[in-house]
């Protein structure tokens, strides 16, 4: 079997206006042990043939067989693996790492193919000695002569232990003596490899070549066998190995310390860039902080155009203090009834055509709006608002019901609502904000404790999900049987097959229990009649809706300290622009 076989292979180079032929209809084979000289004039296709054989270039027509396998279907990664495992390169311009020593260049090739760590140094020294560079083992490549560099490149190619060595004008930059030494070295290693050398001077290689291929205008015009070569009885494909992470790290650190001046320069440059970035970023953060844009989890609906102010002692503000705030030129208005803004939670709105609440992330006063920012009009009456239409598809003239935005509920577990309002305008800037009228925000209200409805609903759902009854030695889930459904609860969504019959127990003293966030509660109800059903999958007790809700509310009271919001003496300060927040805060502190 041939290691390489080409059948009618053609390669074309395309530009915007022309197509040129690199080579055409090339058919030939290559074997291990051959030392092939590819000659011809400049532009004859020598380097193109070498690039196709080595996988550096693809081809358009024909087929290239490698170890009998077709390669026309190879992807980019397949060609990369092919080059990594099977091909060693020797180029005219060396492509050696100048900042590495000869030893490090050879070790690099061994590390990349994950050569056994214990044998790497020994193998590297053997190859360096083989190419006659033992005395220059620790010399940096930048200090070597041209011939010495090419020897080091050959040692590196041999370190890959690949079956194919390709050399493109390897003696083009060398003197006559060095050229002969390199050719003799390539001939020596061809005994157990396929070596293909492209050269414009056949006389340099004729004493060593086993075969001569001459090209002209992209075609092989001469293919002569000039001497015999040792043929291998069996050709073994090399094993493809991946570079280990440890080897990659080792190579990376060697690259860092191989060029200390460059590393130091890049380090200083990075420090300067990071320093400049830090200064710019810090400046921007400072500007943002000075704009009063800080977000509070306790007051999620507060936008950038209003502040909440509280005395450090928690007391009420005097008329003199409020008057002093109003004298600030950046203050548009002050509102004493902060709870009208629903600061403690995100509210949502729905209309008759919507069965869900669309959220408004912020609430604000309509005095910050200009007429040209609104489609429709600004709110005046106590029940008029301006909203953003983007999330809820609201329209002017809709009646919107306000409530808590983020929760799941049904008609029997609906959250509390805060009132109905008429939409008189739509915010053109779509700021996801609901704007109230002055008539609404200036109305008198009490400052009684309020409910954190998100926490309240969460506790309500946890109690509903965990409410149990231990009855006759067994645990039962407790469900509500809605009166308006006339006890006709559809259990088919929980059970497959026919609906089971209910068992009735009358005049029972029953103890209900619930565990919520590690807190275990019990309540006993005497002389209670219940209906239960019991299957292999479920054990359920049904209570009428009124009793069920009363039981749940009794348990809810135990968590009141967690979901009740105590009345706070907060002032809402409306500022005249986006960037005046901290100026107001500084004035308040002063």
């Amino acid at each position: 079997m041939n290691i390489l076989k080409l059948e009618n292979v053609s390669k074309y180079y395309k530009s915007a206006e022309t197509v040129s032929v690199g080579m055409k209809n090339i058919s030939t084979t290559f074997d291990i042990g051959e030392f092939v000289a590819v000659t011809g004039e400049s532009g004859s296709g020598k380097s193109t043939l070498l690039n196709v054989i080595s996988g550096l270039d693809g081809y358009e027509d024909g087929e290239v067989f490698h170890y009998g396998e077709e390669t026309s279907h190879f992807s980019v990664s397949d060609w990369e693996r092919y080059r990594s495992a099977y091909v060693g390169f020797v180029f005219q311009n060396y492509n050696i790492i100048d900042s590495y020593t000869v030893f490090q260049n050879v070790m690099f090739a061994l590390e990349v193919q994950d050569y056994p760590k214990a044998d790497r140094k020994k193998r590297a020294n053997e190859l360096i000695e083989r190419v006659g560079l033992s005395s220059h083992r620790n010399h940096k490549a930048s200090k070597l002569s041209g011939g010495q560099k090419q020897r080091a490149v050959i040692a590196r190619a041999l370190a890959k232990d690949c079956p194919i060595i390709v050399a493109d004008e390897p003696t083009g930059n060398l003197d006559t003596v060095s050229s002969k030494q390199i050719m003799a070295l390539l001939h020596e290693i061809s005994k157990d490899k396929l070596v293909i050398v492209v050269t414009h001077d056949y006389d340099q290689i004729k004493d060593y070549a086993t075969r001569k291929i001459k090209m002209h205008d992209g075609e092989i015009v001469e293919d002569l066998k000039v001497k015999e070569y040792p043929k291998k009885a069996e050709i073994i494909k090399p094993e493809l190995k991946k570079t280990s992470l440890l080897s990659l790290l080792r190579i990376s650190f060697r690259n860092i310390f191989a060029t200390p001046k460059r590393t130091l320069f890049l380090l200083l440059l990075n420090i300067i860039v990071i320093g400049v970035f830090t200064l710019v970023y810090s400046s921007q953060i400072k500007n943002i902080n000075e704009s009063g844009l800080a977000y509070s989890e306790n007051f999620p609906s507060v936008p950038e155009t209003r502040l909440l102010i509280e005395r450090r002692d928690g007391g009420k503000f005097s008329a003199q203090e409020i008057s002093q705030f109003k004298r600030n030129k950046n203050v548009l208005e002050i509102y004493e009834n902060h709870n009208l803004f629903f600061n403690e939670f995100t509210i949502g709105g729905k209309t008759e055509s919507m069965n869900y609440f669309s959220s408004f992330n912020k609430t604000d006063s309509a005095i910050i709006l200009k007429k040209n920012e609104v489609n429709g009009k600004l709110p005046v009456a106590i029940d008029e608002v301006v909203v953003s239409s983007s999330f809820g598809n609201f329209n002017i003239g809709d009646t919107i019901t306000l409530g808590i935005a983020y929760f799941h509920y049904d008609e029997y577990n609906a959250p509390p609502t805060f009132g109905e309002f008429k939409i008189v305008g739509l915010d053109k800037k779509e700021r996801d904000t609901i704007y109230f009228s002055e008539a609404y925000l200036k109305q008198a209200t009490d400052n009684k404790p309020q409910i954190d409805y998100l926490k309240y609903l969460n506790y309500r759902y946890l109690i509903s999900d965990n409410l149990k009854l231990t009855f006759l030695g067994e645990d039962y889930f407790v469900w509500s049987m809605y009166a308006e459904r006339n006890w006709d609860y559809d259990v088919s969504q929980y059970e497959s097959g026919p609906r089971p019959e209910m068992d009735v127990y009358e005049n029972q003293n029953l103890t209900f229990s619930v565990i919520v966030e590690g807190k275990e509660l019990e309540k006993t109800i005497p002389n209670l009649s219940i209906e239960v059903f019991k299957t292999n999958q479920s054990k359920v007790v049904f209570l009428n809706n009124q009793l069920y809700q009363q039981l749940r509310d009794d348990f809810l009271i135990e968590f009141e300290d967690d979901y009740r919001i105590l009345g706070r003496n907060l002032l809402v300060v409306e500022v005249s622009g986006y960037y005046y927040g901290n100026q107001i805060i500084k004035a308040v502190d002063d």
Side-chain angles (χ1 to χ4, degrees), residues 195-214:
V195 178
I196 304 174
V197 180
V198 166
T199 180
H200 65 280
D201 187 359
Y202 178 69
D203 290 336
Q204 288 184 343
I205 199 173
K206 67 180 180 180
D207 294 332
Y208 309 108
T210 63
R211 181 176 168 192
K212 176 186 178 184
I213 294 177
K214 185 176 182 181

Side-chain angles (χ1 to χ4, degrees), residues 492-504:
S492 63
Q493 59 181 311
Y494 301 99
E495 302 286 340
S496 60
R499 170 177 171 171
E501 293 296 326
M502 298 282 188
D503 293 325
V504 179

Side-chain angles (χ1 to χ4, degrees), residues 74-188:
F74 274 19
S75 63
V76 173
S77 57
D78 290 330
W79 282 117
E80 288 175 352
R81 287 192 289 270
Y82 169 78
R83 293 192 298 270
S84 174
Y86 300 112
V87 185
F89 296 90
V90 181
F91 295 105
Q92 179 179 349
N93 57 356
Y94 314 123
N95 286 349
I96 198 169
I97 304 175
D98 286 333
S99 59
Y100 280 14
T101 63
V102 172
F103 178 77
Q104 288 172 333
N105 268 280
V106 178
M107 281 290 288
F108 174 80
L110 293 171
E111 289 170 343
V112 166
Q113 65 172 330
D114 210 25
Y115 196 89
K117 185 178 179 181
D119 300 325
R120 284 177 192 171
K121 290 185 178 180
K122 180 181 177 182
R123 176 63 174 164
N125 287 324
E126 288 175 354
L127 294 172
I128 291 170
E129 183 178 356
R130 185 174 179 183
V131 298
L133 285 179
S134 294
S135 59
H136 294 75
R137 176 183 179 277
N138 294 318
H139 289 200
K140 284 200 171 183
S142 58
K143 305 297 182 182
L144 301 178
S145 66
Q148 291 169 336
K149 285 185 178 181
Q150 203 62 289
R151 287 169 180 265
V153 171
I154 293 173
R156 187 179 64 187
L158 291 174
K160 288 180 67 175
D161 198 24
C162 48
I164 303 171
I165 301 291
V166 295
D168 191 0
E169 300 283 357
T171 61
N173 294 329
L174 305 180
D175 56 49
T176 302
V177 175
S178 297
S179 297
K180 289 182 178 180
Q181 293 173 343
I182 295 302
M183 287 301 178
L185 184 57
L186 289 172
H187 175 252
E188 179 188 350

Side-chain angles (χ1 to χ4, degrees), residues 269-434:
L269 182 61
N270 281 323
I271 290 174
I272 293 172
V273 171
I274 292 172
V276 171
F277 175 82
T278 302
L279 288 174
V280 173
Y281 179 79
S282 299
S283 176
Q284 293 298 319
I285 292 297
K286 182 180 179 183
N287 289 338
I288 291 175
N289 288 337
E290 289 179 351
S291 304
L293 307 183
Y295 174 81
S296 168
E297 291 184 356
N298 293 324
F299 303 110
S301 68
V302 179
E304 299 86 353
T305 49
R306 65 185 178 91
L307 304 173
L308 296 180
I309 301 179
E310 185 176 29
R311 290 177 58 102
R312 288 189 174 91
D313 62 7
K316 292 193 68 172
F317 288 93
S318 67
Q320 183 181 357
E321 288 171 328
I322 296 174
S323 176
Q324 192 173 4
F325 297 151
K326 287 183 177 180
R327 287 199 295 268
N328 189 295
K329 64 178 181 179
N330 294 316
V331 173
L332 291 178
E333 190 56 83
I334 290 182
Y335 305 94
E336 297 184 51
N337 298 318
H338 73 93
N339 53 313
L340 291 172
F341 286 92
F342 309 105
N343 297 306
E344 288 83 0
F345 38 80
T346 301
I347 69 170
K350 69 174 183 176
T351 63
E352 291 183 0
S353 62
M354 298 168 59
N355 59 2
Y356 63 94
F357 276 81
S358 181
S359 66
F360 299 99
N361 289 330
K362 299 170 184 177
T363 61
D364 213 344
S365 168
I367 65 170
I368 72 159
L369 295 174
K370 299 176 182 177
K371 288 184 178 180
N372 60 2
E373 295 177 333
V374 176
N375 288 323
K377 68 174 187 176
L378 296 176
V380 176
I382 197 170
D383 63 343
E384 293 180 343
V385 291
V386 167
V387 302
S388 301
S389 64
S390 57
F391 292 99
N393 295 319
F394 298 117
N395 299 302
I396 296 174
D398 285 349
T399 297
I400 183 172
T401 301
L402 297 184
I404 299 175
Y406 302 117
F407 54 84
H408 299 285
Y409 68 95
D410 56 35
E411 59 183 304
Y412 301 102
N413 290 294
T417 56
F418 311 129
E420 292 185 349
F421 296 81
K422 183 179 180 180
I423 298 175
V424 295
L426 298 176
D427 179 16
K428 293 180 180 179
K429 295 186 177 181
E430 298 291 2
R431 283 167 282 203
D432 197 16
T433 303
I434 186 165

Side-chain angles (χ1 to χ4, degrees), residues 202-237:
Y202 178 69
D203 290 336
Q204 288 184 343
I205 199 173
K206 67 180 180 180
D207 294 332
Y208 309 108
T210 63
R211 181 176 168 192
K212 176 186 178 184
I213 294 177
K214 185 176 182 181
M215 299 194 69
H216 179 72
D217 287 343
E219 297 181 304
I220 294 178
V221 296
E222 184 180 42
D223 190 352
L224 295 177
K225 179 180 178 181
V226 294
K227 63 176 66 173
E228 292 292 331
Y229 61 93
K231 295 185 177 181
K232 277 195 168 186
E234 182 181 3
I235 299 176
I236 301 174
K237 293 178 69 173

